[in-house]
Amino acid sequence: MEHQLTIYNTLSRKKELFVPLHAPHVGMYVCGPTVYGDAHLGHARPAITFDILFRYLTHLGYKVRYVRNITDVGHLEHDADEGEDKIAKKARLEQLEPMEVVQYYLNRYRHAMEALNVLPPSIEPHASGHIIEQIDLVKKILEHGYAYESEGSVYFDVPKYNKEYRYGKLSGRNIDDLLSTTRELDGQTEKRNSADFALWKKAQPEHIMRWPSPWGDGFPGWHCECTAMGRKYLGEHFDIHGGGMDLIFPHHECEIAQSVASQGDDMVHYWMHNNMITVNGTKMGKSLGNFITLDEFFTGSHSMLTQVYTPMTIRFFILQAHYRSTVDFSNEALQASEKGLQRLLEAAGNLDKITPSATSDVDINTLREKCYEAMNDDLNTPIVISYLFEGAKIINNILAGNSQISADDLKVLKELFHLFMFDLLGIKEEIGSSDGREAVYGKVVDMLLEQRIKAKADKDWATADKIRNELTALGFEVKDTKDGFEWKLNK
């Protein structure tokens, strides 16, 4: 049976039937992390959201090229016009090479994604590895007359672009409002208009990360990287571009302007955005100082946490809300997710305890179709989960002798749980077993020992000793090696 996926297109502001430009191939680009700090819960949401989309498109038979970029140059984050490069700043404070900072946090990000069972993308390009492509993009925009050079920097001319195309069509913003409300910034005199954004910035003498260009040594504006890398790996027209709702303006709005100004038409067919993780109704994020890192969830080491939460509890917690709705953090909500996940895992494990009967008094085929209908309805994972709970109730009733199921229907029920719970929602079955718990504990020990290595590098001997002593007290034997560490649990 063919299943047709409908997704919400942020650009048209409505659900649309997904029709790939080059079926059966699908090109998908998602804005990845800026790697100057540990990933927090807010980073987990887009990773999990688009992991679900990746899994489902693949299940439907599409050949998906999933590109998720790495912003490894700190100045590319935020408005790209002013402010110190965050990676360079961290490198200067810690007396490291900028790419040491990048590699350290990128390793930790990938480790966290693996723990969350987020599949790796097809391609994971780095912004710093595509400076040539970004310079070429700026050249094309200049050639087409939608940018100008000023004092060694290059800016996108927003009002000029807006005369022929609409700037603000993704976010719904009005350019007149932008021109009247944009705050003054240092260096604003370089711009013709306050709404113009940087395509290339002249590097000041103290700027560490810089590259030669036709306009002098400098660095690309934040918005350039995704346009340039999306075009390189997915072509001038591709299917899906995704990210968090906080990227709609200015980042994705500027991406649309750049693509149209450089090639004459829109690059992206569908825009998709996940909503935010909130704390007491306020967005969780580094800039607000209210974030909890994934490492802290996995170890229970944050003051706002009352216990350790496994990666699968975090994943399940996020999937219990539709990706376009907000998710408000609380220990109570996470504890409820933990209990709900355990119920489903126990039900899935109990499938092997069922002895089939000659006939059935349960309708498993309808339940399966309902799961597909929910997935096809803009990836409605909370509804899928509700149907899985219906399946769990059926399993418990059969084991209690209140219902019966035939061998054929039992096979369908097993396939339903395997497909929707494990393959598509990405829940790891082993989390409910002792082997699974040991695997999680092992990841936690690894993360603690990585923190110890960082503490030693910072000459924070007290923290390093505390981590080792507490692990020793719990029965772990820790050995330092030239490559890092080794450990084992003394039983």
Side-chain angles (χ1 to χ4, degrees):
M1 175 178 179
E2 283 193 14
H3 295 277
Q4 293 186 315
L5 171 64
T6 300
I7 59 177
Y8 185 88
N9 189 344
T10 310
L11 186 59
S12 67
R13 294 170 177 77
K14 63 182 180 181
K15 292 181 184 178
E16 297 180 2
L17 180 65
F18 178 68
V19 181
L21 292 169
H22 308 290
H25 299 273
V26 171
M28 182 169 82
Y29 190 102
V30 175
C31 291
T34 303
V35 284
Y36 64 89
D38 277 331
H40 57 71
L41 189 62
H43 291 124
R45 191 159 200 203
I48 291 172
T49 294
F50 292 101
D51 181 57
I52 297 296
L53 180 59
F54 184 30
R55 288 170 180 267
Y56 194 53
L57 288 172
T58 302
H59 169 69
L60 293 180
Y62 294 112
K63 297 177 180 178
V64 184
R65 177 175 289 176
Y66 175 16
V67 180
R68 186 181 67 207
N69 71 298
I70 298 296
T71 299
D72 59 356
V73 188
H75 58 254
L76 299 182
E77 206 250 356
H78 197 49
D79 66 8
D81 285 355
E82 304 300 327
E84 185 173 8
D85 180 316
K86 294 184 179 180
I87 289 176
K89 179 180 180 180
K90 202 169 190 73
R92 175 172 53 78
L93 292 174
E94 299 184 11
Q95 296 184 328
L96 298 169
E97 283 291 325
M99 287 307 164
E100 277 187 280
V101 175
V102 168
Q103 194 63 53
Y104 175 79
Y105 287 111
L106 180 56
N107 289 345
R108 291 175 65 79
Y109 174 79
R110 288 171 174 164
H111 194 84
M113 292 303 105
E114 181 182 1
L116 291 169
N117 202 24
V118 171
L119 299 176
S122 314
I123 304 173
E124 196 172 46
H126 291 226
S128 63
H130 296 77
I131 301 299
I132 292 173
E133 289 83 359
Q134 294 175 75
I135 289 174
D136 286 344
L137 172 67
V138 178
K139 285 180 179 178
K140 285 186 174 67
I141 296 172
L142 277 167
E143 289 169 6
H144 295 169
Y146 295 105
Y148 56 90
E149 186 179 353
S150 177
E151 300 180 27
S153 296
V154 180
Y155 292 94
F156 191 95
D157 193 332
V158 171
K160 184 174 181 180
Y161 171 85
N162 192 60
K163 288 179 181 178
E164 296 183 41
Y165 308 98
R166 186 192 167 194
Y167 180 81
K169 64 181 182 179
L170 182 66
S171 61
R173 307 228 178 174
N174 183 289
I175 189 171
D176 293 330
D177 294 337
L178 292 174
L179 291 171
S180 63
T181 59
T182 303
R183 64 186 176 91
E184 289 294 320
L185 296 169
D186 293 338
Q188 193 85 294
T189 54
E190 292 182 7
K191 299 181 180 183
R192 293 177 184 171
N193 310 283
S194 59
D196 296 348
F197 58 89
L199 297 171
W200 186 265
K201 281 292 291 182
K202 178 182 178 180
Q204 300 303 314
E206 68 275 9
H207 208 98
I208 302 173
M209 304 181 79
R210 58 205 294 145
W211 292 268
S213 80
W215 317 285
D217 280 6
F219 49 87
W222 171 34
H223 313 303
C224 288
E225 61 175 289
C226 293
T227 306
M229 293 191 290
R231 177 179 291 152
K232 179 179 176 66
Y233 294 109
L234 299 174
E236 291 190 350
H237 304 95
F238 59 88
D239 298 291
I240 298 169
H241 195 324
M245 287 183 69
D246 56 330
L247 297 178
I248 292 176
F249 187 88
H251 187 45
H252 290 164
E253 197 73 76
C254 293
E255 277 197 63
I256 290 175
Q258 289 172 163
S259 65
V260 173
S262 61
Q263 68 183 39
D265 58 0
D266 284 314
M267 182 181 293
V268 178
H269 196 191
Y270 301 94
W271 287 89
M272 295 181 68
H273 295 89
N274 64 273
N275 216 318
M276 301 294 103
I277 301 281
T278 59
V279 181
N280 297 323
T282 302
K283 175 194 167 186
M284 178 181 284
K286 284 191 173 78
S287 60
L288 298 174
N290 65 348
F291 67 95
I292 304 174
T293 69
L294 293 173
D295 189 19
E296 288 168 334
F297 276 104
F298 302 160
T299 59
S301 58
H302 195 282
S303 60
M304 291 173 64
L305 301 175
T306 59
Q307 65 177 76
V308 171
Y309 296 103
T310 67
M312 286 303 100
T313 297
I314 299 298
R315 186 177 179 105
F316 192 68
F317 167 68
I318 288 174
L319 292 177
Q320 281 185 293
H322 190 269
Y323 76 89
R324 287 193 288 111
S325 64
T326 57
V327 176
D328 198 55
F329 158 81
S330 72
N331 281 284
E332 293 76 15
L334 279 165
Q335 288 160 6
S337 293
E338 184 177 57
K339 291 177 182 177
L341 175 60
Q342 192 59 38
R343 279 177 55 200
L344 289 182
L345 288 168
E346 288 175 358
N350 285 337
L351 280 165
D352 290 332
K353 299 178 182 178
I354 293 176
T355 301
S357 303
T359 60
S360 288
D361 56 12
V362 292
D363 188 355
I364 303 303
N365 288 312
T366 297
L367 187 63
R368 180 179 59 182
E369 287 310 307
K370 285 181 177 179
C371 288
Y372 269 117
E373 287 172 8
M375 286 297 293
N376 290 330
D377 184 17
D378 198 26
L379 304 176
N380 204 329
T381 58
I383 299 300
V384 174
I385 289 171
S386 73
Y387 291 138
L388 288 173
F389 276 118
E390 283 189 26
K393 185 177 179 180
I394 290 171
I395 293 168
N396 293 335
N397 280 333
I398 293 170
L399 288 174
N402 299 324
S403 293
Q404 57 186 17
I405 190 170
S406 67
D408 287 343
D409 282 349
L410 178 59
K411 180 181 178 182
V412 173
L413 186 57
K414 288 182 177 180
E415 289 173 349
L416 183 149
F417 268 82
H418 182 81
L419 173 61
F420 287 97
M421 187 170 176
F422 303 126
D423 287 353
L424 298 181
L425 296 188
I427 299 299
K428 289 182 180 178
E429 185 176 11
E430 66 269 19
I431 294 301
S433 67
S434 60
D435 289 343
R437 286 194 294 272
E438 288 180 8
V440 173
Y441 298 156
K443 290 180 183 295
V444 171
V445 173
D446 286 343
M447 289 180 182
L448 286 170
L449 291 175
E450 286 174 3
Q451 286 186 342
R452 181 170 176 266
I453 288 176
K454 180 67 164 52
K456 289 171 66 179
D458 293 340
K459 296 183 171 28
D460 183 0
W461 309 118
T463 298
D465 290 343
K466 182 181 178 183
I467 292 173
R468 179 171 188 145
N469 292 340
E470 291 190 358
L471 285 173
T472 300
L474 291 170
F476 293 95
E477 182 178 331
V478 178
K479 179 181 179 181
D480 292 321
T481 69
K482 65 177 182 178
D483 296 322
F485 58 81
E486 294 177 356
W487 64 269
K488 66 178 181 179
L489 178 60
N490 293 320
K491 297 184 179 179

